[in-house]
Amino acid sequence: MSDKATEIAALLQPTIQALGLELLGIEYLPASGNATLRLYIDVSEAERETRVVNIEDCEAVSREVSAQLDVEDPISDNYTLEVSSPGVDRPLFTADQFARFIGEEAKVVLKLPQDGRRRVQGRIVSVDAAGITIAFDNRQMTFAADNLDKARLMPDWVALGMAPQPKKNIGAGKPKKSPAPPKKVH
C-alpha cells in the first residue's frame, strides 16, 4: 500500500472493526480531477466459515466511512469511494494474508525489482521472518513484505466452473496412418 493508503487505513480501521468487519487493505489511486479510494473488507476471522461479505456490509461501511472521511478530510481532491468484498481473486496486502493462502497461486508485483523481476506469478510456499516465498518456473523467490506493491490470488477458474474445460485431444496417442504409396502407371 502507498503511504497515503496506509495513513487512511489506520484512520478507518477502528470504524470498520466497530461494524464487526475487517479492513483487508486499501488502494488509493490518485488521478487528476477524481481519485479512487477502494477499500477491501472481509468478515472477521471467527465468522469466515459461516458468512461472507454481502452488499449490506459494503453499504454500511460506505456510509460510516464516508461520514468519517468528510470530517477528517485526509484527501484534499475529489475522489470516488468504493467498498468491495475481496472476491475469489482477492488482493493480498500483508504477510499474514499470504500465510492464510499457502499453497495457492498468486500474482505479485514488487515495488523494487528482485532477481531482475518485478512481476512473479506462482505458488505461495511459505511466510516467515525472511519474507514471503513464491515458487515459479522450477525456482523460488523470497521477498520482503515491505517490497510488495500489489498481489492477488489467482484462482483455478476451471475448477471453480467459471472457465471452459480444456478440450480433450481426441486423436492423441493414436498412430497416424501413413498415406498409401503412389501407384505406378505403365
Side-chain angles (χ1 to χ4, degrees):
M1 287 192 297
S2 69
D3 291 341
K4 184 60 128 178
T6 303
E7 172 193 331
I8 295 169
L11 176 71
L12 301 180
Q13 182 80 21
T15 302
I16 294 169
Q17 281 181 331
L19 294 169
L21 297 162
E22 178 184 335
L23 177 61
L24 296 176
I26 290 178
E27 291 176 347
Y28 175 63
L29 308 166
S32 67
N34 196 23
T36 299
L37 179 62
R38 187 173 298 128
L39 282 57
Y40 290 95
I41 60 170
D42 202 354
V43 295
S44 65
E45 191 170 345
E47 293 184 290
R48 286 192 186 123
E49 294 296 319
T50 59
R51 182 169 113 73
V52 295
V53 171
N54 59 37
I55 191 74
E56 289 82 14
D57 294 322
C58 292
E59 289 171 347
V61 167
S62 181
R63 241 186 340 271
E64 293 297 319
V65 162
S66 203
Q68 184 178 5
L69 290 171
D70 286 347
V71 171
E72 302 284 340
D73 201 22
I75 303 171
S76 56
D77 297 329
N78 291 334
Y79 65 92
T80 301
L81 174 64
E82 297 177 6
V83 179
S84 177
S85 69
V88 292
D89 62 339
R90 79 172 36 228
L92 302 171
F93 295 94
T94 66
D96 288 343
Q97 291 171 10
F98 274 87
R100 281 186 49 211
F101 296 100
I102 288 177
E104 299 286 329
E105 289 281 318
K107 183 185 281 187
V108 175
V109 179
L110 302 175
K111 292 176 185 172
L112 300 172
Q114 187 169 319
D115 300 334
R117 302 180 72 128
R118 278 196 63 226
R119 298 175 188 278
V120 179
Q121 183 173 328
R123 186 175 46 83
I124 304 168
V125 175
S126 65
V127 178
D128 55 30
I132 300 163
T133 302
I134 302 284
F136 64 99
D137 298 337
N138 295 319
R139 62 185 209 173
Q140 294 186 353
M141 174 191 286
T142 301
F143 58 90
D146 63 359
N147 191 23
L148 179 66
D149 186 26
K150 290 192 243 182
R152 282 194 171 275
L153 287 182
M154 297 301 297
D156 183 345
W157 296 110
V158 173
L160 290 170
M162 301 173 100
Q165 295 287 329
K167 292 183 180 180
K168 293 181 181 176
N169 192 353
I170 295 175
K174 292 184 181 179
K176 292 184 179 180
K177 292 183 183 178
S178 56
K183 293 184 182 180
K184 290 186 180 180
V185 179
H186 293 276

